[in-house]
Amino acid sequence: MYATQALTNLVPLAEELDKNKVTPGVLGFIVFAALAVGVWALMKSMNRHMGRVNFEERPAEPGPAEPASEPVAGSAKRK
């Protein structure tokens, strides 16, 4: 019952607003500011992580020497 009374009290206030003028208000500003702070924090974190990356390539390490391939049966040369 209290919610119904509160809504009926707010209806006359809503009629006083200009229906042709819509603004985001304080809530829109708070959401935008929170998104901006989040993007700033992500960029700062990304820059910190990119600073730790080593971009120099290491020379390829030679692997163990491969043994000479053994002839497959039936592929031996005949004299």
Short mmCIF file of all heavy atoms in Angstrom, two decimals:
data_model
loop_
_atom_site.label_atom_id
_atom_site.label_comp_id
_atom_site.label_asym_id
_atom_site.label_seq_id
_atom_site.Cartn_x
_atom_site.Cartn_y
_atom_site.Cartn_z
N MET A 1 0.82 -1.18 0.00
CA MET A 1 0.00 0.00 0.00
C MET A 1 0.87 1.25 0.00
O MET A 1 0.51 2.24 -0.59
CB MET A 1 -0.94 -0.03 1.20
CG MET A 1 -1.65 1.25 1.37
SD MET A 1 -3.36 1.49 1.29
CE MET A 1 -4.41 0.29 1.22
N TYR A 2 2.03 1.20 0.63
CA TYR A 2 2.89 2.37 0.69
C TYR A 2 3.47 2.70 -0.68
O TYR A 2 3.62 3.86 -1.04
CB TYR A 2 4.01 2.15 1.68
CG TYR A 2 3.53 2.08 3.12
CD1 TYR A 2 3.61 0.89 3.83
CD2 TYR A 2 2.98 3.19 3.74
CE1 TYR A 2 3.17 0.80 5.12
CE2 TYR A 2 2.52 3.12 5.03
CZ TYR A 2 2.62 1.92 5.73
OH TYR A 2 2.17 1.84 7.02
N ALA A 3 3.81 1.68 -1.47
CA ALA A 3 4.37 1.91 -2.79
C ALA A 3 3.33 2.58 -3.69
O ALA A 3 3.66 3.47 -4.48
CB ALA A 3 4.83 0.60 -3.41
N THR A 4 2.08 2.19 -3.56
CA THR A 4 1.02 2.79 -4.37
C THR A 4 0.84 4.26 -4.02
O THR A 4 0.70 5.11 -4.91
CB THR A 4 -0.31 2.04 -4.14
OG1 THR A 4 -0.09 0.65 -4.29
CG2 THR A 4 -1.35 2.48 -5.15
N GLN A 5 0.89 4.58 -2.75
CA GLN A 5 0.75 5.97 -2.33
C GLN A 5 1.94 6.80 -2.81
O GLN A 5 1.76 7.96 -3.22
CB GLN A 5 0.63 6.05 -0.81
CG GLN A 5 -0.68 5.51 -0.28
CD GLN A 5 -0.70 5.49 1.24
OE1 GLN A 5 0.31 5.71 1.88
NE2 GLN A 5 -1.87 5.20 1.80
N ALA A 6 3.13 6.23 -2.78
CA ALA A 6 4.31 6.96 -3.23
C ALA A 6 4.22 7.25 -4.73
O ALA A 6 4.57 8.35 -5.18
CB ALA A 6 5.57 6.17 -2.91
N LEU A 7 3.75 6.29 -5.49
CA LEU A 7 3.64 6.49 -6.94
C LEU A 7 2.58 7.53 -7.27
O LEU A 7 2.76 8.34 -8.17
CB LEU A 7 3.33 5.17 -7.64
CG LEU A 7 4.48 4.16 -7.68
CD1 LEU A 7 4.01 2.86 -8.30
CD2 LEU A 7 5.66 4.72 -8.44
N THR A 8 1.49 7.52 -6.55
CA THR A 8 0.44 8.52 -6.83
C THR A 8 0.91 9.90 -6.45
O THR A 8 0.47 10.89 -7.05
CB THR A 8 -0.86 8.17 -6.08
OG1 THR A 8 -0.59 8.05 -4.69
CG2 THR A 8 -1.46 6.90 -6.62
N ASN A 9 1.81 10.02 -5.49
CA ASN A 9 2.34 11.33 -5.12
C ASN A 9 3.35 11.83 -6.14
O ASN A 9 3.54 13.04 -6.29
CB ASN A 9 2.99 11.28 -3.73
CG ASN A 9 1.97 11.12 -2.63
OD1 ASN A 9 0.80 11.47 -2.80
ND2 ASN A 9 2.41 10.58 -1.50
N LEU A 10 4.04 10.93 -6.86
CA LEU A 10 5.04 11.33 -7.83
C LEU A 10 4.46 11.63 -9.21
O LEU A 10 5.10 12.28 -10.01
CB LEU A 10 6.10 10.24 -7.96
CG LEU A 10 7.00 10.04 -6.74
CD1 LEU A 10 7.94 8.87 -6.98
CD2 LEU A 10 7.79 11.30 -6.43
N VAL A 11 3.26 11.19 -9.48
CA VAL A 11 2.67 11.42 -10.79
C VAL A 11 2.49 12.91 -11.09
O VAL A 11 2.84 13.36 -12.19
CB VAL A 11 1.32 10.65 -10.92
CG1 VAL A 11 0.57 11.07 -12.17
CG2 VAL A 11 1.59 9.15 -10.94
N PRO A 12 2.02 13.73 -10.17
CA PRO A 12 1.92 15.16 -10.49
C PRO A 12 3.27 15.79 -10.75
O PRO A 12 3.38 16.71 -11.57
CB PRO A 12 1.27 15.77 -9.24
CG PRO A 12 0.61 14.66 -8.54
CD PRO A 12 1.39 13.43 -8.90
N LEU A 13 4.34 15.30 -10.11
CA LEU A 13 5.67 15.85 -10.37
C LEU A 13 6.14 15.52 -11.78
O LEU A 13 6.82 16.31 -12.42
CB LEU A 13 6.67 15.30 -9.35
CG LEU A 13 6.47 15.74 -7.90
CD1 LEU A 13 7.45 15.01 -7.00
CD2 LEU A 13 6.61 17.23 -7.76
N ALA A 14 5.78 14.36 -12.28
CA ALA A 14 6.18 13.95 -13.62
C ALA A 14 5.47 14.78 -14.68
O ALA A 14 6.01 15.00 -15.76
CB ALA A 14 5.89 12.47 -13.83
N GLU A 15 4.29 15.26 -14.39
CA GLU A 15 3.57 16.06 -15.38
C GLU A 15 4.16 17.45 -15.52
O GLU A 15 3.97 18.12 -16.53
CB GLU A 15 2.09 16.14 -14.99
CG GLU A 15 1.39 14.81 -15.13
CD GLU A 15 -0.06 14.86 -14.66
OE1 GLU A 15 -0.50 15.93 -14.18
OE2 GLU A 15 -0.74 13.84 -14.77
N GLU A 16 4.90 17.91 -14.52
CA GLU A 16 5.51 19.23 -14.58
C GLU A 16 6.72 19.26 -15.49
O GLU A 16 7.13 20.33 -15.94
CB GLU A 16 5.93 19.68 -13.18
CG GLU A 16 4.76 19.91 -12.24
CD GLU A 16 5.22 20.24 -10.84
OE1 GLU A 16 6.44 20.44 -10.64
OE2 GLU A 16 4.38 20.29 -9.96
N LEU A 17 7.30 18.11 -15.79
CA LEU A 17 8.48 18.06 -16.64
C LEU A 17 8.11 18.33 -18.09
O LEU A 17 7.05 17.96 -18.56
CB LEU A 17 9.16 16.68 -16.54
CG LEU A 17 9.74 16.31 -15.18
CD1 LEU A 17 10.26 14.89 -15.22
CD2 LEU A 17 10.83 17.27 -14.77
N ASP A 18 9.03 18.99 -18.79
CA ASP A 18 8.84 19.23 -20.22
C ASP A 18 9.11 17.92 -20.96
O ASP A 18 10.20 17.37 -20.89
CB ASP A 18 9.79 20.31 -20.69
CG ASP A 18 9.58 20.68 -22.14
OD1 ASP A 18 8.55 20.27 -22.71
OD2 ASP A 18 10.44 21.38 -22.70
N LYS A 19 8.12 17.42 -21.65
CA LYS A 19 8.25 16.11 -22.32
C LYS A 19 9.11 16.18 -23.57
O LYS A 19 9.52 15.16 -24.11
CB LYS A 19 6.87 15.57 -22.66
CG LYS A 19 6.07 15.26 -21.41
CD LYS A 19 4.76 14.64 -21.72
CE LYS A 19 4.02 14.42 -20.40
NZ LYS A 19 2.82 13.66 -20.55
N ASN A 20 9.43 17.39 -24.05
CA ASN A 20 10.28 17.55 -25.22
C ASN A 20 11.75 17.68 -24.85
O ASN A 20 12.61 17.72 -25.72
CB ASN A 20 9.86 18.77 -26.04
CG ASN A 20 8.48 18.57 -26.63
OD1 ASN A 20 8.11 17.47 -27.01
ND2 ASN A 20 7.71 19.65 -26.69
N LYS A 21 12.04 17.80 -23.57
CA LYS A 21 13.42 17.96 -23.13
C LYS A 21 13.80 16.76 -22.27
O LYS A 21 13.29 16.59 -21.17
CB LYS A 21 13.57 19.25 -22.32
CG LYS A 21 14.98 19.52 -21.88
CD LYS A 21 15.05 20.82 -21.11
CE LYS A 21 16.48 21.06 -20.64
NZ LYS A 21 16.56 22.26 -19.82
N VAL A 22 14.70 15.95 -22.80
CA VAL A 22 15.15 14.76 -22.08
C VAL A 22 16.65 14.88 -21.87
O VAL A 22 17.40 15.11 -22.81
CB VAL A 22 14.83 13.47 -22.87
CG1 VAL A 22 15.31 12.25 -22.12
CG2 VAL A 22 13.35 13.39 -23.14
N THR A 23 17.08 14.75 -20.63
CA THR A 23 18.50 14.82 -20.31
C THR A 23 18.90 13.56 -19.54
O THR A 23 18.07 12.95 -18.89
CB THR A 23 18.82 16.06 -19.45
OG1 THR A 23 18.09 15.96 -18.22
CG2 THR A 23 18.43 17.34 -20.17
N PRO A 24 20.19 13.18 -19.61
CA PRO A 24 20.61 11.99 -18.90
C PRO A 24 20.62 12.16 -17.39
O PRO A 24 20.49 11.20 -16.66
CB PRO A 24 22.02 11.72 -19.43
CG PRO A 24 22.47 13.01 -20.00
CD PRO A 24 21.25 13.75 -20.41
N GLY A 25 20.80 13.37 -16.91
CA GLY A 25 20.75 13.62 -15.48
C GLY A 25 21.99 13.14 -14.74
O GLY A 25 23.02 12.83 -15.33
N VAL A 26 21.85 13.09 -13.45
CA VAL A 26 22.98 12.72 -12.58
C VAL A 26 23.35 11.25 -12.77
O VAL A 26 24.53 10.90 -12.80
CB VAL A 26 22.62 13.01 -11.11
CG1 VAL A 26 23.73 12.56 -10.18
CG2 VAL A 26 22.33 14.48 -10.91
N LEU A 27 22.35 10.40 -12.91
CA LEU A 27 22.65 8.97 -13.09
C LEU A 27 23.45 8.73 -14.37
O LEU A 27 24.41 7.94 -14.37
CB LEU A 27 21.36 8.16 -13.13
CG LEU A 27 21.52 6.65 -13.31
CD1 LEU A 27 22.30 6.07 -12.13
CD2 LEU A 27 20.18 5.98 -13.45
N GLY A 28 23.12 9.42 -15.44
CA GLY A 28 23.87 9.29 -16.69
C GLY A 28 25.31 9.74 -16.51
O GLY A 28 26.24 9.12 -17.04
N PHE A 29 25.50 10.83 -15.78
CA PHE A 29 26.86 11.32 -15.53
C PHE A 29 27.65 10.32 -14.71
O PHE A 29 28.82 10.05 -14.99
CB PHE A 29 26.84 12.67 -14.83
CG PHE A 29 28.21 13.15 -14.44
CD1 PHE A 29 29.08 13.63 -15.39
CD2 PHE A 29 28.63 13.06 -13.12
CE1 PHE A 29 30.35 14.05 -15.03
CE2 PHE A 29 29.89 13.47 -12.75
CZ PHE A 29 30.76 13.97 -13.71
N ILE A 30 27.03 9.74 -13.68
CA ILE A 30 27.72 8.78 -12.82
C ILE A 30 28.12 7.54 -13.62
O ILE A 30 29.25 7.04 -13.49
CB ILE A 30 26.85 8.41 -11.61
CG1 ILE A 30 26.71 9.62 -10.68
CG2 ILE A 30 27.42 7.22 -10.87
CD1 ILE A 30 25.71 9.43 -9.57
N VAL A 31 27.23 7.05 -14.47
CA VAL A 31 27.56 5.88 -15.30
C VAL A 31 28.70 6.20 -16.26
O VAL A 31 29.64 5.42 -16.41
CB VAL A 31 26.30 5.40 -16.06
CG1 VAL A 31 26.66 4.36 -17.11
CG2 VAL A 31 25.27 4.85 -15.09
N PHE A 32 28.64 7.37 -16.89
CA PHE A 32 29.70 7.77 -17.82
C PHE A 32 31.03 7.92 -17.10
O PHE A 32 32.08 7.48 -17.59
CB PHE A 32 29.33 9.08 -18.52
CG PHE A 32 30.35 9.55 -19.50
CD1 PHE A 32 30.45 8.97 -20.75
CD2 PHE A 32 31.23 10.57 -19.17
CE1 PHE A 32 31.41 9.40 -21.66
CE2 PHE A 32 32.19 11.00 -20.06
CZ PHE A 32 32.28 10.41 -21.31
N ALA A 33 31.01 8.53 -15.92
CA ALA A 33 32.24 8.71 -15.15
C ALA A 33 32.81 7.35 -14.72
O ALA A 33 34.03 7.15 -14.76
CB ALA A 33 31.98 9.59 -13.92
N ALA A 34 31.95 6.41 -14.33
CA ALA A 34 32.43 5.08 -13.94
C ALA A 34 33.06 4.36 -15.13
O ALA A 34 34.10 3.70 -14.98
CB ALA A 34 31.27 4.26 -13.38
N LEU A 35 32.46 4.49 -16.30
CA LEU A 35 33.04 3.88 -17.50
C LEU A 35 34.40 4.51 -17.83
O LEU A 35 35.34 3.82 -18.22
CB LEU A 35 32.10 4.01 -18.69
CG LEU A 35 30.86 3.11 -18.65
CD1 LEU A 35 29.92 3.49 -19.79
CD2 LEU A 35 31.26 1.66 -18.75
N ALA A 36 34.49 5.83 -17.69
CA ALA A 36 35.75 6.52 -17.98
C ALA A 36 36.84 6.07 -17.01
O ALA A 36 37.98 5.83 -17.42
CB ALA A 36 35.54 8.03 -17.90
N VAL A 37 36.52 5.94 -15.74
CA VAL A 37 37.50 5.49 -14.75
C VAL A 37 37.91 4.05 -15.05
O VAL A 37 39.10 3.70 -14.94
CB VAL A 37 36.94 5.63 -13.31
CG1 VAL A 37 37.81 4.92 -12.30
CG2 VAL A 37 36.78 7.10 -12.95
N GLY A 38 36.97 3.21 -15.45
CA GLY A 38 37.29 1.83 -15.80
C GLY A 38 38.23 1.74 -16.99
O GLY A 38 39.19 0.97 -16.98
N VAL A 39 37.98 2.54 -18.01
CA VAL A 39 38.84 2.54 -19.20
C VAL A 39 40.23 3.04 -18.83
O VAL A 39 41.25 2.50 -19.28
CB VAL A 39 38.22 3.39 -20.33
CG1 VAL A 39 39.22 3.65 -21.44
CG2 VAL A 39 36.99 2.70 -20.88
N TRP A 40 40.29 4.08 -18.00
CA TRP A 40 41.58 4.61 -17.56
C TRP A 40 42.37 3.54 -16.81
O TRP A 40 43.58 3.37 -17.04
CB TRP A 40 41.36 5.84 -16.68
CG TRP A 40 42.63 6.38 -16.12
CD1 TRP A 40 43.57 7.14 -16.73
CD2 TRP A 40 43.11 6.16 -14.78
NE1 TRP A 40 44.60 7.41 -15.87
CE2 TRP A 40 44.34 6.83 -14.67
CE3 TRP A 40 42.61 5.48 -13.69
CZ2 TRP A 40 45.07 6.81 -13.49
CZ3 TRP A 40 43.34 5.47 -12.52
CH2 TRP A 40 44.55 6.13 -12.42
N ALA A 41 41.71 2.80 -15.91
CA ALA A 41 42.39 1.75 -15.15
C ALA A 41 42.87 0.63 -16.07
O ALA A 41 43.98 0.10 -15.89
CB ALA A 41 41.45 1.19 -14.08
N LEU A 42 42.06 0.25 -17.06
CA LEU A 42 42.49 -0.79 -18.00
C LEU A 42 43.69 -0.34 -18.83
O LEU A 42 44.61 -1.12 -19.09
CB LEU A 42 41.33 -1.17 -18.92
CG LEU A 42 40.25 -2.03 -18.28
CD1 LEU A 42 39.08 -2.19 -19.25
CD2 LEU A 42 40.79 -3.38 -17.90
N MET A 43 43.70 0.91 -19.27
CA MET A 43 44.83 1.43 -20.05
C MET A 43 46.10 1.46 -19.21
O MET A 43 47.18 1.13 -19.70
CB MET A 43 44.51 2.82 -20.60
CG MET A 43 43.41 2.84 -21.63
SD MET A 43 43.88 2.05 -23.16
CE MET A 43 45.03 3.23 -23.78
N LYS A 44 45.97 1.87 -17.96
CA LYS A 44 47.13 1.91 -17.07
C LYS A 44 47.69 0.50 -16.86
O LYS A 44 48.90 0.28 -16.90
CB LYS A 44 46.73 2.54 -15.74
CG LYS A 44 47.88 2.79 -14.82
CD LYS A 44 47.46 3.57 -13.60
CE LYS A 44 48.65 3.79 -12.69
NZ LYS A 44 48.30 4.54 -11.51
N SER A 45 46.80 -0.46 -16.65
CA SER A 45 47.23 -1.84 -16.46
C SER A 45 47.89 -2.39 -17.72
O SER A 45 48.90 -3.08 -17.65
CB SER A 45 46.03 -2.71 -16.07
OG SER A 45 46.38 -4.06 -16.02
N MET A 46 47.31 -2.07 -18.89
CA MET A 46 47.87 -2.55 -20.15
C MET A 46 49.27 -1.98 -20.36
O MET A 46 50.18 -2.70 -20.76
CB MET A 46 46.98 -2.16 -21.33
CG MET A 46 47.50 -2.67 -22.66
SD MET A 46 46.65 -2.03 -24.08
CE MET A 46 47.16 -0.33 -24.04
N ASN A 47 49.46 -0.69 -20.07
CA ASN A 47 50.78 -0.09 -20.24
C ASN A 47 51.79 -0.73 -19.30
O ASN A 47 52.95 -0.94 -19.67
CB ASN A 47 50.71 1.42 -19.98
CG ASN A 47 50.11 2.14 -21.16
OD1 ASN A 47 50.21 1.70 -22.29
ND2 ASN A 47 49.48 3.26 -20.88
N ARG A 48 51.39 -1.06 -18.09
CA ARG A 48 52.29 -1.71 -17.14
C ARG A 48 52.69 -3.10 -17.65
O ARG A 48 53.86 -3.48 -17.61
CB ARG A 48 51.61 -1.82 -15.78
CG ARG A 48 52.56 -2.25 -14.69
CD ARG A 48 51.94 -2.26 -13.30
NE ARG A 48 50.81 -1.37 -13.14
CZ ARG A 48 49.60 -1.78 -12.72
NH1 ARG A 48 49.37 -3.04 -12.45
NH2 ARG A 48 48.61 -0.91 -12.58
N HIS A 49 51.73 -3.86 -18.17
CA HIS A 49 52.03 -5.20 -18.67
C HIS A 49 52.86 -5.15 -19.95
O HIS A 49 53.74 -5.99 -20.14
CB HIS A 49 50.74 -5.98 -18.91
CG HIS A 49 50.09 -6.45 -17.65
ND1 HIS A 49 50.58 -7.48 -16.90
CD2 HIS A 49 48.99 -6.00 -17.01
CE1 HIS A 49 49.81 -7.66 -15.85
NE2 HIS A 49 48.83 -6.78 -15.89
N MET A 50 52.59 -4.19 -20.81
CA MET A 50 53.37 -4.08 -22.05
C MET A 50 54.81 -3.68 -21.74
O MET A 50 55.72 -4.01 -22.49
CB MET A 50 52.73 -3.07 -23.01
CG MET A 50 51.41 -3.53 -23.57
SD MET A 50 51.54 -5.03 -24.54
CE MET A 50 52.25 -4.38 -26.03
N GLY A 51 55.04 -2.95 -20.65
CA GLY A 51 56.40 -2.59 -20.26
C GLY A 51 57.21 -3.79 -19.81
O GLY A 51 58.44 -3.79 -19.89
N ARG A 52 56.55 -4.84 -19.36
CA ARG A 52 57.24 -6.04 -18.89
C ARG A 52 57.57 -7.01 -20.02
O ARG A 52 58.35 -7.94 -19.83
CB ARG A 52 56.38 -6.78 -17.88
CG ARG A 52 56.16 -6.01 -16.62
CD ARG A 52 55.29 -6.78 -15.68
NE ARG A 52 54.96 -5.97 -14.51
CZ ARG A 52 54.06 -6.30 -13.62
NH1 ARG A 52 53.38 -7.43 -13.75
NH2 ARG A 52 53.81 -5.52 -12.59
N VAL A 53 57.01 -6.81 -21.19
CA VAL A 53 57.21 -7.74 -22.30
C VAL A 53 58.57 -7.51 -22.92
O VAL A 53 58.98 -6.38 -23.18
CB VAL A 53 56.10 -7.56 -23.36
CG1 VAL A 53 56.37 -8.42 -24.59
CG2 VAL A 53 54.75 -7.88 -22.78
N ASN A 54 59.30 -8.59 -23.15
CA ASN A 54 60.60 -8.53 -23.80
C ASN A 54 60.40 -8.85 -25.28
O ASN A 54 60.03 -9.97 -25.63
CB ASN A 54 61.56 -9.54 -23.16
CG ASN A 54 62.95 -9.46 -23.76
OD1 ASN A 54 63.24 -8.57 -24.55
ND2 ASN A 54 63.79 -10.40 -23.39
N PHE A 55 60.65 -7.88 -26.15
CA PHE A 55 60.38 -8.05 -27.57
C PHE A 55 61.58 -8.60 -28.33
O PHE A 55 61.49 -8.84 -29.52
CB PHE A 55 59.94 -6.73 -28.21
CG PHE A 55 58.57 -6.31 -27.78
CD1 PHE A 55 58.40 -5.31 -26.86
CD2 PHE A 55 57.46 -6.93 -28.32
CE1 PHE A 55 57.14 -4.93 -26.47
CE2 PHE A 55 56.19 -6.55 -27.93
CZ PHE A 55 56.03 -5.54 -27.00
N GLU A 56 62.74 -8.79 -27.68
CA GLU A 56 63.91 -9.29 -28.39
C GLU A 56 63.76 -10.79 -28.60
O GLU A 56 63.45 -11.53 -27.68
CB GLU A 56 65.17 -9.01 -27.56
CG GLU A 56 65.45 -7.54 -27.41
CD GLU A 56 66.68 -7.29 -26.54
OE1 GLU A 56 67.41 -8.26 -26.26
OE2 GLU A 56 66.86 -6.14 -26.15
N GLU A 57 64.02 -11.20 -29.84
CA GLU A 57 63.92 -12.62 -30.16
C GLU A 57 65.21 -13.33 -29.78
O GLU A 57 66.30 -12.82 -30.02
CB GLU A 57 63.65 -12.82 -31.65
CG GLU A 57 62.29 -12.36 -32.08
CD GLU A 57 62.01 -12.70 -33.53
OE1 GLU A 57 62.65 -13.61 -34.07
OE2 GLU A 57 61.15 -12.03 -34.11
N ARG A 58 65.08 -14.49 -29.22
CA ARG A 58 66.25 -15.31 -28.89
C ARG A 58 66.67 -16.07 -30.14
O ARG A 58 65.83 -16.49 -30.93
CB ARG A 58 65.92 -16.30 -27.79
CG ARG A 58 65.58 -15.64 -26.49
CD ARG A 58 65.30 -16.68 -25.45
NE ARG A 58 64.84 -16.04 -24.22
CZ ARG A 58 64.27 -16.67 -23.23
NH1 ARG A 58 64.06 -17.97 -23.30
NH2 ARG A 58 63.90 -16.02 -22.16
N PRO A 59 67.97 -16.30 -30.29
CA PRO A 59 68.39 -17.12 -31.45
C PRO A 59 67.89 -18.55 -31.27
O PRO A 59 67.75 -19.04 -30.15
CB PRO A 59 69.92 -17.06 -31.41
CG PRO A 59 70.26 -16.56 -30.05
CD PRO A 59 69.08 -15.82 -29.52
N ALA A 60 67.61 -19.17 -32.38
CA ALA A 60 67.09 -20.54 -32.34
C ALA A 60 68.16 -21.47 -31.77
O ALA A 60 69.31 -21.46 -32.21
CB ALA A 60 66.69 -21.00 -33.74
N GLU A 61 67.79 -22.26 -30.79
CA GLU A 61 68.73 -23.20 -30.20
C GLU A 61 68.77 -24.46 -31.06
O GLU A 61 67.73 -25.01 -31.41
CB GLU A 61 68.30 -23.55 -28.78
CG GLU A 61 68.30 -22.36 -27.85
CD GLU A 61 67.83 -22.73 -26.45
OE1 GLU A 61 67.62 -23.93 -26.18
OE2 GLU A 61 67.65 -21.81 -25.65
N PRO A 62 69.97 -24.91 -31.40
CA PRO A 62 70.05 -26.14 -32.22
C PRO A 62 69.58 -27.34 -31.40
O PRO A 62 69.92 -27.48 -30.24
CB PRO A 62 71.52 -26.25 -32.57
CG PRO A 62 72.24 -25.46 -31.53
CD PRO A 62 71.28 -24.39 -31.08
N GLY A 63 68.77 -28.15 -32.04
CA GLY A 63 68.27 -29.36 -31.39
C GLY A 63 69.31 -30.46 -31.42
O GLY A 63 70.40 -30.30 -31.99
N PRO A 64 69.03 -31.58 -30.80
CA PRO A 64 69.98 -32.71 -30.85
C PRO A 64 70.15 -33.18 -32.29
O PRO A 64 69.23 -33.14 -33.09
CB PRO A 64 69.33 -33.78 -29.98
CG PRO A 64 67.89 -33.41 -29.91
CD PRO A 64 67.82 -31.91 -30.08
N ALA A 65 71.37 -33.62 -32.59
CA ALA A 65 71.66 -34.07 -33.96
C ALA A 65 70.80 -35.28 -34.29
O ALA A 65 70.67 -36.20 -33.50
CB ALA A 65 73.14 -34.43 -34.09
N GLU A 66 70.21 -35.24 -35.46
CA GLU A 66 69.36 -36.35 -35.87
C GLU A 66 70.24 -37.47 -36.42
O GLU A 66 71.17 -37.22 -37.19
CB GLU A 66 68.37 -35.89 -36.94
CG GLU A 66 67.36 -34.88 -36.42
CD GLU A 66 66.37 -34.50 -37.49
OE1 GLU A 66 66.24 -35.24 -38.48
OE2 GLU A 66 65.73 -33.46 -37.33
N PRO A 67 69.98 -38.71 -36.05
CA PRO A 67 70.78 -39.83 -36.60
C PRO A 67 70.52 -39.97 -38.10
O PRO A 67 69.47 -39.58 -38.60
CB PRO A 67 70.28 -41.05 -35.83
CG PRO A 67 68.91 -40.67 -35.34
CD PRO A 67 68.93 -39.17 -35.16
N ALA A 68 71.52 -40.51 -38.78
CA ALA A 68 71.38 -40.72 -40.22
C ALA A 68 70.21 -41.66 -40.45
O ALA A 68 70.03 -42.64 -39.74
CB ALA A 68 72.67 -41.31 -40.79
N SER A 69 69.45 -41.37 -41.46
CA SER A 69 68.27 -42.19 -41.71
C SER A 69 68.69 -43.57 -42.20
O SER A 69 69.58 -43.71 -43.03
CB SER A 69 67.36 -41.52 -42.74
OG SER A 69 68.07 -41.36 -43.95
N GLU A 70 68.07 -44.57 -41.66
CA GLU A 70 68.37 -45.94 -42.05
C GLU A 70 67.58 -46.27 -43.32
O GLU A 70 66.46 -45.81 -43.49
CB GLU A 70 67.99 -46.90 -40.93
CG GLU A 70 68.80 -46.66 -39.65
CD GLU A 70 68.38 -47.60 -38.54
OE1 GLU A 70 67.63 -48.55 -38.81
OE2 GLU A 70 68.82 -47.36 -37.42
N PRO A 71 68.18 -47.08 -44.18
CA PRO A 71 67.45 -47.42 -45.41
C PRO A 71 66.21 -48.26 -45.10
O PRO A 71 66.21 -49.08 -44.20
CB PRO A 71 68.46 -48.23 -46.23
CG PRO A 71 69.54 -48.61 -45.29
CD PRO A 71 69.50 -47.65 -44.14
N VAL A 72 65.19 -47.99 -45.83
CA VAL A 72 63.94 -48.71 -45.65
C VAL A 72 64.06 -50.03 -46.39
O VAL A 72 64.69 -50.11 -47.45
CB VAL A 72 62.76 -47.87 -46.21
CG1 VAL A 72 61.45 -48.61 -46.06
CG2 VAL A 72 62.73 -46.51 -45.54
N ALA A 73 63.47 -51.09 -45.87
CA ALA A 73 63.53 -52.41 -46.51
C ALA A 73 63.02 -52.34 -47.93
O ALA A 73 61.98 -51.76 -48.20
CB ALA A 73 62.71 -53.43 -45.69
N GLY A 74 63.78 -52.89 -48.85
CA GLY A 74 63.36 -52.91 -50.24
C GLY A 74 63.88 -51.72 -51.02
O GLY A 74 63.68 -51.65 -52.21
N SER A 75 64.55 -50.82 -50.37
CA SER A 75 65.04 -49.66 -51.09
C SER A 75 66.55 -49.73 -51.30
O SER A 75 67.13 -48.78 -51.81
CB SER A 75 64.68 -48.36 -50.34
OG SER A 75 65.37 -48.36 -49.11
N ALA A 76 67.18 -50.83 -50.93
CA ALA A 76 68.63 -50.96 -51.09
C ALA A 76 68.96 -51.08 -52.59
O ALA A 76 68.21 -51.70 -53.35
CB ALA A 76 69.12 -52.17 -50.34
N LYS A 77 70.09 -50.53 -52.98
CA LYS A 77 70.50 -50.60 -54.37
C LYS A 77 71.13 -51.97 -54.66
O LYS A 77 71.86 -52.51 -53.86
CB LYS A 77 71.54 -49.52 -54.68
CG LYS A 77 70.96 -48.13 -54.58
CD LYS A 77 72.03 -47.12 -54.94
CE LYS A 77 71.48 -45.73 -54.81
NZ LYS A 77 72.47 -44.71 -55.10
N ARG A 78 70.83 -52.50 -55.82
CA ARG A 78 71.41 -53.77 -56.24
C ARG A 78 72.58 -53.49 -57.15
O ARG A 78 72.58 -52.57 -57.94
CB ARG A 78 70.39 -54.62 -56.96
CG ARG A 78 69.27 -55.05 -56.07
CD ARG A 78 68.39 -55.99 -56.82
NE ARG A 78 67.28 -56.37 -55.96
CZ ARG A 78 66.44 -57.30 -56.26
NH1 ARG A 78 66.55 -57.96 -57.38
NH2 ARG A 78 65.48 -57.61 -55.45
N LYS A 79 73.57 -54.35 -57.06
CA LYS A 79 74.75 -54.19 -57.92
C LYS A 79 74.65 -55.07 -59.11
O LYS A 79 74.18 -56.08 -59.25
CB LYS A 79 76.01 -54.50 -57.15
CG LYS A 79 76.28 -53.46 -56.13
CD LYS A 79 77.61 -53.76 -55.48
CE LYS A 79 77.88 -52.76 -54.42
NZ LYS A 79 79.12 -52.96 -53.78
#
